Amino acid sequence: MGMSKSKWSQLKAWIYLLPALVILAVFTVWPIINTVRMSLLKDYDGLALIGGESFEFGFANFVTVVNYENFTNCLGNTLLLCVLTVPISTMLALLIAVALNSIKFVKKAMQTIFFLPYVTNSIAIGMVFMAMFTIIGPVKNPESVGIINNIIQLFGGEPINWVNMGSSKVANMAVLVIYIVWNALPFKILVLLGGLQSVNKQYYDAAKVDGTSRFRTFWRITVPLLSPMIAYVVITGFIGGFKEYSSVVGIFGATNMGPVGSTGATNMNTMVGFIYQNLGTNQGTASAAALILFAIIFAVTMVNMYVSKKKVHY
């Protein structure tokens, strides 16, 4: 008997999916499995394994990561960046999206301008930010204090040592937060603006008839109707924040992840930077750190999803 039409359709679907499934298995599934394997082999080294060396099985790599003196600094920097940048960028994106949705003139041009950072190389942007905040020459007698300090001086303020040798961690963190918020805005604006354009206008017409203030309309109508999109950008924002690395490299360089020209006294490294730095020297430690980061991201995402179930209106 021949194959039935429905079974033949299913077989064709699997045949069409096969190339994608093979690529997914080779470049996603296997690396995940291999990462777990390497993390459980103490001081794992791929070249040594080829040479016949064996490695002790256990959780020694995880202990090494947690006990490493720079681990808490990397984790603290990552958490602080997430806590600071996600709420700020989400609120700014919401306000800008509402403003863009309200204007008619040059609306398309403004959308394009706000979207430009999203399609620009993050390392290049980081280097531009570094140039904007860097003081050229000795800090006490500089040749140039940088564009940002020039603006501060224009309003009567004193130049601030943002990223040069001897700068404080507060100044370093401020530069990073400004960069990450600016870089995160385009995607969030795009998502929220798309949500706003799909909102039924009758809600706003009814609010106008009732004489509802703009703030109350925003808080009682716009925010609840956009809550699914807001939850989405918050969750993806936290995931992106925990994976932050390119911005730090662009601004502070990749050698020691400290301020420009410093010896690394103020270390701005993140969890992903910690993983990359250990990848070349100890693959087992890097794999363990990657799994720890995955566990943290997973836990934060689950909390966000639980809260969104209570607060989101579908």
Side-chain angles (χ1 to χ4, degrees):
M1 292 180 64
M3 187 180 294
S4 66
K5 190 175 180 180
S6 61
K7 288 185 177 180
W8 172 240
S9 298
Q10 289 180 12
L11 180 61
K12 284 198 299 183
W14 281 109
I15 292 172
Y16 292 144
L17 283 171
L18 186 60
L21 292 175
V22 170
I23 293 173
L24 190 66
V26 172
F27 293 102
T28 302
V29 178
W30 167 244
I32 292 172
I33 295 172
N34 198 35
T35 299
V36 175
R37 180 181 69 89
M38 290 190 297
S39 70
L40 296 172
L41 298 175
K42 183 180 179 182
D43 299 327
Y44 176 86
D45 185 281
L47 293 176
L49 182 67
I50 295 172
E53 185 176 338
S54 60
F55 303 95
E56 181 184 341
F57 183 86
F59 296 95
N61 289 326
F62 293 91
V63 175
T64 301
V65 170
V66 174
N67 289 335
Y68 186 62
E69 59 181 354
N70 196 32
F71 172 75
T72 53
N73 176 71
C74 295
L75 181 59
N77 288 340
T78 305
L79 289 172
L80 188 58
L81 283 174
C82 287
V83 170
L84 291 174
T85 60
V86 174
I88 294 173
S89 61
T90 303
M91 182 55 67
L92 282 176
L94 179 59
L95 295 175
I96 293 170
V98 170
L100 284 175
N101 194 52
S102 301
I103 63 175
K104 303 297 181 185
F105 183 65
V106 299
K107 182 177 181 178
K108 297 293 184 182
M110 292 299 295
Q111 287 177 352
T112 303
I113 291 170
F114 276 107
F115 192 68
L116 282 176
Y118 190 69
V119 294
T120 306
N121 183 276
S122 57
I123 297 293
I125 296 172
M127 294 178 70
V128 170
F129 266 73
M130 180 191 72
M132 290 169 60
F133 286 92
T134 299
I135 295 174
I136 300 174
V139 174
K140 292 184 178 179
N141 188 24
E143 299 173 21
S144 171
V145 294
I147 298 172
I148 301 301
N149 279 329
N150 284 333
I151 296 173
I152 292 174
Q153 286 180 319
L154 187 65
F155 290 94
E158 292 294 325
I160 298 171
N161 184 5
W162 296 102
V163 295
N164 290 73
M165 186 186 302
S167 60
S168 67
K169 192 158 188 172
V170 174
N172 298 160
M173 189 62 71
V175 175
L176 265 180
V177 168
I178 292 170
Y179 166 80
I180 294 171
V181 167
W182 181 80
N183 197 39
L185 280 177
F187 175 74
K188 295 183 178 183
I189 291 172
L190 183 68
V191 173
L192 295 173
L193 191 58
L196 278 170
Q197 291 174 348
S198 64
V199 171
N200 192 328
K201 305 301 179 187
Q202 291 181 352
Y203 294 110
Y204 295 108
D205 293 338
K208 285 182 181 179
V209 171
D210 291 340
T212 308
S213 66
R214 288 188 176 183
F215 176 78
R216 190 170 178 82
T217 301
F218 171 79
W219 192 249
R220 294 295 184 181
I221 297 177
T222 303
V223 171
L225 291 176
L226 281 182
S227 55
M229 293 78 176
I230 294 172
Y232 172 73
V233 297
V234 168
I235 290 172
T236 54
F238 272 107
I239 293 172
F242 276 108
K243 297 191 296 181
E244 197 62 54
Y245 175 63
S246 58
S247 59
V248 184
V249 173
I251 295 173
F252 300 109
T255 52
N256 54 35
M257 304 294 280
V260 176
S262 78
T263 57
T266 306
N267 196 309
M268 296 304 297
N269 204 355
T270 61
M271 282 294 294
V272 174
F274 178 86
I275 293 167
Y276 277 130
Q277 287 179 341
N278 282 278
L279 200 57
T281 56
N282 193 325
Q283 296 168 1
T285 302
S287 298
L291 290 180
I292 290 173
L293 179 60
F294 167 76
I296 295 171
I297 293 175
F298 181 79
V300 172
T301 303
M302 289 299 102
V303 170
N304 275 319
M305 291 183 70
Y306 176 77
V307 172
S308 68
K309 284 183 179 180
K310 304 289 184 181
K311 301 295 182 180
V312 171
H313 304 276
Y314 291 100

